[in-house]
PDB file of all heavy atoms in Angstrom:
ATOM      1  N   HIS A 356      16.099  31.307  -8.815  1.00  0.00           N
ATOM      2  CA  HIS A 356      16.122  30.661  -7.446  1.00  0.00           C
ATOM      3  C   HIS A 356      16.475  31.683  -6.511  1.00  0.00           C
ATOM      4  O   HIS A 356      17.057  32.767  -6.773  1.00  0.00           O
ATOM      5  CB  HIS A 356      17.085  29.547  -7.454  1.00  0.00           C
ATOM      6  CG  HIS A 356      18.520  29.983  -7.589  1.00  0.00           C
ATOM      7  ND1 HIS A 356      19.066  30.352  -8.844  1.00  0.00           N
ATOM      8  CD2 HIS A 356      19.571  30.162  -6.799  1.00  0.00           C
ATOM      9  CE1 HIS A 356      20.336  30.717  -8.640  1.00  0.00           C
ATOM     10  NE2 HIS A 356      20.703  30.634  -7.332  1.00  0.00           N
ATOM     11  N   LEU A 357      16.259  31.323  -5.238  1.00  0.00           N
ATOM     12  CA  LEU A 357      16.678  32.255  -4.171  1.00  0.00           C
ATOM     13  C   LEU A 357      18.047  31.846  -3.671  1.00  0.00           C
ATOM     14  O   LEU A 357      18.305  30.720  -3.352  1.00  0.00           O
ATOM     15  CB  LEU A 357      15.707  32.182  -2.922  1.00  0.00           C
ATOM     16  CG  LEU A 357      15.856  33.020  -1.690  1.00  0.00           C
ATOM     17  CD1 LEU A 357      15.480  34.529  -2.203  1.00  0.00           C
ATOM     18  CD2 LEU A 357      15.058  32.684  -0.559  1.00  0.00           C
ATOM     19  N   PRO A 358      18.999  32.829  -3.683  1.00  0.00           N
ATOM     20  CA  PRO A 358      20.280  32.485  -3.321  1.00  0.00           C
ATOM     21  C   PRO A 358      20.403  32.211  -1.921  1.00  0.00           C
ATOM     22  O   PRO A 358      19.581  32.422  -1.011  1.00  0.00           O
ATOM     23  CB  PRO A 358      21.067  33.820  -3.574  1.00  0.00           C
ATOM     24  CG  PRO A 358      20.088  34.988  -3.542  1.00  0.00           C
ATOM     25  CD  PRO A 358      18.757  34.304  -4.084  1.00  0.00           C
ATOM     26  N   ILE A 359      21.550  31.390  -1.437  1.00  0.00           N
ATOM     27  CA  ILE A 359      21.651  30.937  -0.074  1.00  0.00           C
ATOM     28  C   ILE A 359      22.147  32.012   0.769  1.00  0.00           C
ATOM     29  O   ILE A 359      21.648  32.075   1.889  1.00  0.00           O
ATOM     30  CB  ILE A 359      22.702  29.703  -0.168  1.00  0.00           C
ATOM     31  CG1 ILE A 359      22.072  28.474  -0.739  1.00  0.00           C
ATOM     32  CG2 ILE A 359      23.228  29.508   1.303  1.00  0.00           C
ATOM     33  CD1 ILE A 359      20.975  27.943   0.114  1.00  0.00           C
ATOM     34  N   ALA A 360      22.938  32.951   0.361  1.00  0.00           N
ATOM     35  CA  ALA A 360      23.565  33.962   1.178  1.00  0.00           C
ATOM     36  C   ALA A 360      22.432  34.811   1.672  1.00  0.00           C
ATOM     37  O   ALA A 360      21.707  35.445   0.899  1.00  0.00           O
ATOM     38  CB  ALA A 360      24.554  34.744   0.466  1.00  0.00           C
ATOM     39  N   SER A 361      22.379  35.116   2.949  1.00  0.00           N
ATOM     40  CA  SER A 361      21.243  35.787   3.517  1.00  0.00           C
ATOM     41  C   SER A 361      21.233  37.231   3.160  1.00  0.00           C
ATOM     42  O   SER A 361      20.146  37.882   2.913  1.00  0.00           O
ATOM     43  CB  SER A 361      21.290  35.800   5.149  1.00  0.00           C
ATOM     44  OG  SER A 361      22.501  36.269   5.716  1.00  0.00           O
ATOM     45  N   GLU A 362      22.355  37.925   3.006  1.00  0.00           N
ATOM     46  CA  GLU A 362      22.482  39.320   2.588  1.00  0.00           C
ATOM     47  C   GLU A 362      22.045  39.426   1.262  1.00  0.00           C
ATOM     48  O   GLU A 362      21.406  40.582   0.697  1.00  0.00           O
ATOM     49  CB  GLU A 362      23.902  39.766   2.660  1.00  0.00           C
ATOM     50  CG  GLU A 362      24.945  39.279   1.870  1.00  0.00           C
ATOM     51  CD  GLU A 362      25.579  38.135   2.407  1.00  0.00           C
ATOM     52  OE1 GLU A 362      25.097  37.553   3.382  1.00  0.00           O
ATOM     53  OE2 GLU A 362      26.598  37.521   1.861  1.00  0.00           O
ATOM     54  N   GLU A 363      22.174  38.401   0.352  1.00  0.00           N
ATOM     55  CA  GLU A 363      21.666  38.393  -1.206  1.00  0.00           C
ATOM     56  C   GLU A 363      20.144  38.166  -0.989  1.00  0.00           C
ATOM     57  O   GLU A 363      19.366  38.942  -1.924  1.00  0.00           O
ATOM     58  CB  GLU A 363      22.392  37.403  -2.012  1.00  0.00           C
ATOM     59  CG  GLU A 363      23.778  37.707  -2.225  1.00  0.00           C
ATOM     60  CD  GLU A 363      24.387  36.844  -3.340  1.00  0.00           C
ATOM     61  OE1 GLU A 363      23.838  35.790  -3.465  1.00  0.00           O
ATOM     62  OE2 GLU A 363      25.506  37.241  -3.898  1.00  0.00           O
ATOM     63  N   GLN A 364      19.614  37.241  -0.185  1.00  0.00           N
ATOM     64  CA  GLN A 364      18.251  37.070  -0.081  1.00  0.00           C
ATOM     65  C   GLN A 364      17.441  38.388   0.181  1.00  0.00           C
ATOM     66  O   GLN A 364      16.455  38.602  -0.327  1.00  0.00           O
ATOM     67  CB  GLN A 364      18.018  36.078   1.033  1.00  0.00           C
ATOM     68  CG  GLN A 364      18.431  34.710   0.527  1.00  0.00           C
ATOM     69  CD  GLN A 364      18.164  33.707   1.815  1.00  0.00           C
ATOM     70  OE1 GLN A 364      17.779  34.052   2.915  1.00  0.00           O
ATOM     71  NE2 GLN A 364      18.314  32.395   1.553  1.00  0.00           N
ATOM     72  N   ALA A 365      18.055  39.180   1.035  1.00  0.00           N
ATOM     73  CA  ALA A 365      17.546  40.522   1.554  1.00  0.00           C
ATOM     74  C   ALA A 365      17.483  41.472   0.438  1.00  0.00           C
ATOM     75  O   ALA A 365      16.579  42.361   0.434  1.00  0.00           O
ATOM     76  CB  ALA A 365      18.235  40.932   2.724  1.00  0.00           C
ATOM     77  N   ARG A 366      18.194  41.345  -0.561  1.00  0.00           N
ATOM     78  CA  ARG A 366      18.325  42.298  -1.591  1.00  0.00           C
ATOM     79  C   ARG A 366      17.524  41.866  -2.909  1.00  0.00           C
ATOM     80  O   ARG A 366      17.370  42.634  -3.865  1.00  0.00           O
ATOM     81  CB  ARG A 366      19.774  42.498  -1.984  1.00  0.00           C
ATOM     82  CG  ARG A 366      20.637  43.132  -1.038  1.00  0.00           C
ATOM     83  CD  ARG A 366      21.805  44.009  -1.623  1.00  0.00           C
ATOM     84  NE  ARG A 366      22.567  43.205  -2.539  1.00  0.00           N
ATOM     85  CZ  ARG A 366      23.582  42.277  -2.344  1.00  0.00           C
ATOM     86  NH1 ARG A 366      23.922  42.103  -1.129  1.00  0.00           N
ATOM     87  NH2 ARG A 366      24.151  41.675  -3.236  1.00  0.00           N
ATOM     88  N   CYS A 367      16.940  40.682  -2.878  1.00  0.00           N
ATOM     89  CA  CYS A 367      16.183  40.092  -3.964  1.00  0.00           C
ATOM     90  C   CYS A 367      14.891  40.936  -4.100  1.00  0.00           C
ATOM     91  O   CYS A 367      14.095  40.943  -2.953  1.00  0.00           O
ATOM     92  CB  CYS A 367      15.909  38.688  -3.902  1.00  0.00           C
ATOM     93  SG  CYS A 367      17.367  37.711  -4.283  1.00  0.00           S
ATOM     94  N   THR A 368      14.425  41.363  -5.261  1.00  0.00           N
ATOM     95  CA  THR A 368      13.214  41.966  -5.422  1.00  0.00           C
ATOM     96  C   THR A 368      12.414  41.147  -6.499  1.00  0.00           C
ATOM     97  O   THR A 368      13.071  40.548  -7.421  1.00  0.00           O
ATOM     98  CB  THR A 368      13.220  43.520  -5.966  1.00  0.00           C
ATOM     99  OG1 THR A 368      14.001  43.459  -7.234  1.00  0.00           O
ATOM    100  CG2 THR A 368      13.915  44.363  -4.895  1.00  0.00           C
ATOM    101  N   PRO A 369      11.058  40.948  -6.315  1.00  0.00           N
ATOM    102  CA  PRO A 369      10.431  40.018  -7.225  1.00  0.00           C
ATOM    103  C   PRO A 369      10.210  40.698  -8.605  1.00  0.00           C
ATOM    104  O   PRO A 369       9.945  41.724  -8.834  1.00  0.00           O
ATOM    105  CB  PRO A 369       9.040  39.919  -6.536  1.00  0.00           C
ATOM    106  CG  PRO A 369       8.910  41.193  -5.829  1.00  0.00           C
ATOM    107  CD  PRO A 369      10.300  41.546  -5.249  1.00  0.00           C
ATOM    108  N   VAL A 370      10.178  39.574  -9.674  1.00  0.00           N
ATOM    109  CA  VAL A 370       9.822  39.930 -10.932  1.00  0.00           C
ATOM    110  C   VAL A 370       8.424  39.353 -11.035  1.00  0.00           C
ATOM    111  O   VAL A 370       8.322  38.103 -10.889  1.00  0.00           O
ATOM    112  CB  VAL A 370      10.836  39.303 -11.968  1.00  0.00           C
ATOM    113  CG1 VAL A 370      10.308  39.458 -13.368  1.00  0.00           C
ATOM    114  CG2 VAL A 370      12.196  39.904 -11.783  1.00  0.00           C
ATOM    115  N   TYR A 371       7.279  40.116 -11.363  1.00  0.00           N
ATOM    116  CA  TYR A 371       6.012  39.703 -11.385  1.00  0.00           C
ATOM    117  C   TYR A 371       5.547  39.417 -12.802  1.00  0.00           C
ATOM    118  O   TYR A 371       5.934  40.070 -13.807  1.00  0.00           O
ATOM    119  CB  TYR A 371       5.136  40.699 -10.765  1.00  0.00           C
ATOM    120  CG  TYR A 371       5.279  40.788  -9.229  1.00  0.00           C
ATOM    121  CD1 TYR A 371       5.628  41.902  -8.488  1.00  0.00           C
ATOM    122  CD2 TYR A 371       5.004  39.613  -8.436  1.00  0.00           C
ATOM    123  CE1 TYR A 371       5.658  41.881  -7.069  1.00  0.00           C
ATOM    124  CE2 TYR A 371       5.055  39.602  -6.990  1.00  0.00           C
ATOM    125  CZ  TYR A 371       5.359  40.746  -6.485  1.00  0.00           C
ATOM    126  OH  TYR A 371       5.432  40.754  -5.037  1.00  0.00           O
ATOM    127  N   GLU A 372       4.596  38.507 -12.789  1.00  0.00           N
ATOM    128  CA  GLU A 372       3.578  38.280 -13.869  1.00  0.00           C
ATOM    129  C   GLU A 372       2.261  38.585 -13.477  1.00  0.00           C
ATOM    130  O   GLU A 372       1.877  38.091 -12.344  1.00  0.00           O
ATOM    131  CB  GLU A 372       3.776  36.882 -14.475  1.00  0.00           C
ATOM    132  CG  GLU A 372       2.778  36.425 -15.531  1.00  0.00           C
ATOM    133  CD  GLU A 372       2.983  34.954 -15.892  1.00  0.00           C
ATOM    134  OE1 GLU A 372       4.117  34.654 -16.353  1.00  0.00           O
ATOM    135  OE2 GLU A 372       2.089  34.202 -15.769  1.00  0.00           O
ATOM    136  N   THR A 373       1.497  39.362 -14.092  1.00  0.00           N
ATOM    137  CA  THR A 373       0.170  39.806 -13.669  1.00  0.00           C
ATOM    138  C   THR A 373      -0.906  39.044 -14.485  1.00  0.00           C
ATOM    139  O   THR A 373      -0.851  38.839 -15.813  1.00  0.00           O
ATOM    140  CB  THR A 373      -0.017  41.265 -13.921  1.00  0.00           C
ATOM    141  OG1 THR A 373       1.029  41.995 -13.224  1.00  0.00           O
ATOM    142  CG2 THR A 373      -1.464  41.737 -13.456  1.00  0.00           C
ATOM    143  N   MET A 374      -1.863  38.615 -13.678  1.00  0.00           N
ATOM    144  CA  MET A 374      -3.071  37.856 -14.359  1.00  0.00           C
ATOM    145  C   MET A 374      -4.283  38.403 -13.848  1.00  0.00           C
ATOM    146  O   MET A 374      -4.328  38.936 -12.725  1.00  0.00           O
ATOM    147  CB  MET A 374      -3.069  36.339 -13.889  1.00  0.00           C
ATOM    148  CG  MET A 374      -1.723  35.533 -14.288  1.00  0.00           C
ATOM    149  SD  MET A 374      -1.994  33.802 -13.734  1.00  0.00           S
ATOM    150  CE  MET A 374      -3.441  33.237 -14.654  1.00  0.00           C
ATOM    151  N   PRO A 375      -5.381  38.226 -14.683  1.00  0.00           N
ATOM    152  CA  PRO A 375      -6.623  38.859 -14.256  1.00  0.00           C
ATOM    153  C   PRO A 375      -7.199  38.026 -13.180  1.00  0.00           C
ATOM    154  O   PRO A 375      -7.031  36.735 -13.243  1.00  0.00           O
ATOM    155  CB  PRO A 375      -7.433  38.771 -15.574  1.00  0.00           C
ATOM    156  CG  PRO A 375      -6.956  37.649 -16.373  1.00  0.00           C
ATOM    157  CD  PRO A 375      -5.337  37.875 -16.050  1.00  0.00           C
ATOM    158  N   GLY A 376      -7.867  38.581 -12.243  1.00  0.00           N
ATOM    159  CA  GLY A 376      -8.628  37.797 -11.148  1.00  0.00           C
ATOM    160  C   GLY A 376     -10.003  37.385 -11.654  1.00  0.00           C
ATOM    161  O   GLY A 376     -10.213  37.240 -12.813  1.00  0.00           O
ATOM    162  N   TRP A 377     -10.808  37.028 -10.656  1.00  0.00           N
ATOM    163  CA  TRP A 377     -12.143  36.582 -10.901  1.00  0.00           C
ATOM    164  C   TRP A 377     -13.033  37.177  -9.886  1.00  0.00           C
ATOM    165  O   TRP A 377     -12.700  37.385  -8.784  1.00  0.00           O
ATOM    166  CB  TRP A 377     -12.191  35.009 -11.000  1.00  0.00           C
ATOM    167  CG  TRP A 377     -11.773  34.361  -9.744  1.00  0.00           C
ATOM    168  CD1 TRP A 377     -12.437  34.146  -8.607  1.00  0.00           C
ATOM    169  CD2 TRP A 377     -10.384  33.987  -9.483  1.00  0.00           C
ATOM    170  NE1 TRP A 377     -11.637  33.514  -7.699  1.00  0.00           N
ATOM    171  CE2 TRP A 377     -10.358  33.411  -8.169  1.00  0.00           C
ATOM    172  CE3 TRP A 377      -9.256  33.887 -10.206  1.00  0.00           C
ATOM    173  CZ2 TRP A 377      -9.151  32.832  -7.643  1.00  0.00           C
ATOM    174  CZ3 TRP A 377      -8.074  33.432  -9.675  1.00  0.00           C
ATOM    175  CH2 TRP A 377      -8.033  32.925  -8.455  1.00  0.00           C
ATOM    176  N   SER A 378     -14.375  37.488 -10.319  1.00  0.00           N
ATOM    177  CA  SER A 378     -15.199  37.955  -9.401  1.00  0.00           C
ATOM    178  C   SER A 378     -16.129  36.937  -8.719  1.00  0.00           C
ATOM    179  O   SER A 378     -16.804  37.262  -7.632  1.00  0.00           O
ATOM    180  CB  SER A 378     -16.121  39.038 -10.100  1.00  0.00           C
ATOM    181  OG  SER A 378     -16.845  38.390 -11.205  1.00  0.00           O
ATOM    182  N   GLU A 379     -16.263  35.768  -9.335  1.00  0.00           N
ATOM    183  CA  GLU A 379     -17.188  34.781  -8.719  1.00  0.00           C
ATOM    184  C   GLU A 379     -16.459  34.112  -7.578  1.00  0.00           C
ATOM    185  O   GLU A 379     -15.163  34.351  -7.287  1.00  0.00           O
ATOM    186  CB  GLU A 379     -17.397  33.653  -9.825  1.00  0.00           C
ATOM    187  CG  GLU A 379     -17.886  34.180 -10.961  1.00  0.00           C
ATOM    188  CD  GLU A 379     -16.783  34.360 -12.138  1.00  0.00           C
ATOM    189  OE1 GLU A 379     -15.673  34.870 -11.774  1.00  0.00           O
ATOM    190  OE2 GLU A 379     -16.978  34.115 -13.252  1.00  0.00           O
ATOM    191  N   SER A 380     -17.218  33.371  -6.666  1.00  0.00           N
ATOM    192  CA  SER A 380     -16.807  32.761  -5.484  1.00  0.00           C
ATOM    193  C   SER A 380     -16.321  31.392  -5.852  1.00  0.00           C
ATOM    194  O   SER A 380     -16.913  30.607  -6.520  1.00  0.00           O
ATOM    195  CB  SER A 380     -17.854  32.639  -4.454  1.00  0.00           C
ATOM    196  OG  SER A 380     -17.370  31.834  -3.318  1.00  0.00           O
ATOM    197  N   THR A 381     -15.152  31.013  -5.219  1.00  0.00           N
ATOM    198  CA  THR A 381     -14.695  29.626  -5.277  1.00  0.00           C
ATOM    199  C   THR A 381     -14.861  28.908  -3.961  1.00  0.00           C
ATOM    200  O   THR A 381     -14.617  27.603  -3.887  1.00  0.00           O
ATOM    201  CB  THR A 381     -13.094  29.576  -5.620  1.00  0.00           C
ATOM    202  OG1 THR A 381     -12.436  30.247  -4.517  1.00  0.00           O
ATOM    203  CG2 THR A 381     -12.766  30.340  -6.890  1.00  0.00           C
ATOM    204  N   GLU A 382     -15.283  29.568  -2.924  1.00  0.00           N
ATOM    205  CA  GLU A 382     -15.583  28.978  -1.643  1.00  0.00           C
ATOM    206  C   GLU A 382     -16.479  27.863  -1.672  1.00  0.00           C
ATOM    207  O   GLU A 382     -17.602  27.884  -2.143  1.00  0.00           O
ATOM    208  CB  GLU A 382     -16.025  29.989  -0.629  1.00  0.00           C
ATOM    209  CG  GLU A 382     -15.997  29.437   0.658  1.00  0.00           C
ATOM    210  CD  GLU A 382     -16.493  30.583   1.810  1.00  0.00           C
ATOM    211  OE1 GLU A 382     -16.641  31.662   1.415  1.00  0.00           O
ATOM    212  OE2 GLU A 382     -16.468  30.225   2.941  1.00  0.00           O
ATOM    213  N   GLY A 383     -15.976  26.598  -1.255  1.00  0.00           N
ATOM    214  CA  GLY A 383     -16.844  25.373  -1.128  1.00  0.00           C
ATOM    215  C   GLY A 383     -16.887  24.516  -2.446  1.00  0.00           C
ATOM    216  O   GLY A 383     -17.549  23.717  -2.376  1.00  0.00           O
TER     217      GLY A 383
END
Side-chain angles (χ1 to χ4, degrees):
H356 67 283
L357 187 68
I359 285 294
S361 56
E362 66 274 10
E363 291 187 346
Q364 292 176 353
R366 297 204 309 274
C367 283
T368 58
V370 176
Y371 283 123
E372 176 180 299
T373 302
M374 296 185 65
W377 55 88
S378 57
E379 307 95 322
S380 173
T381 63
E382 184 174 2

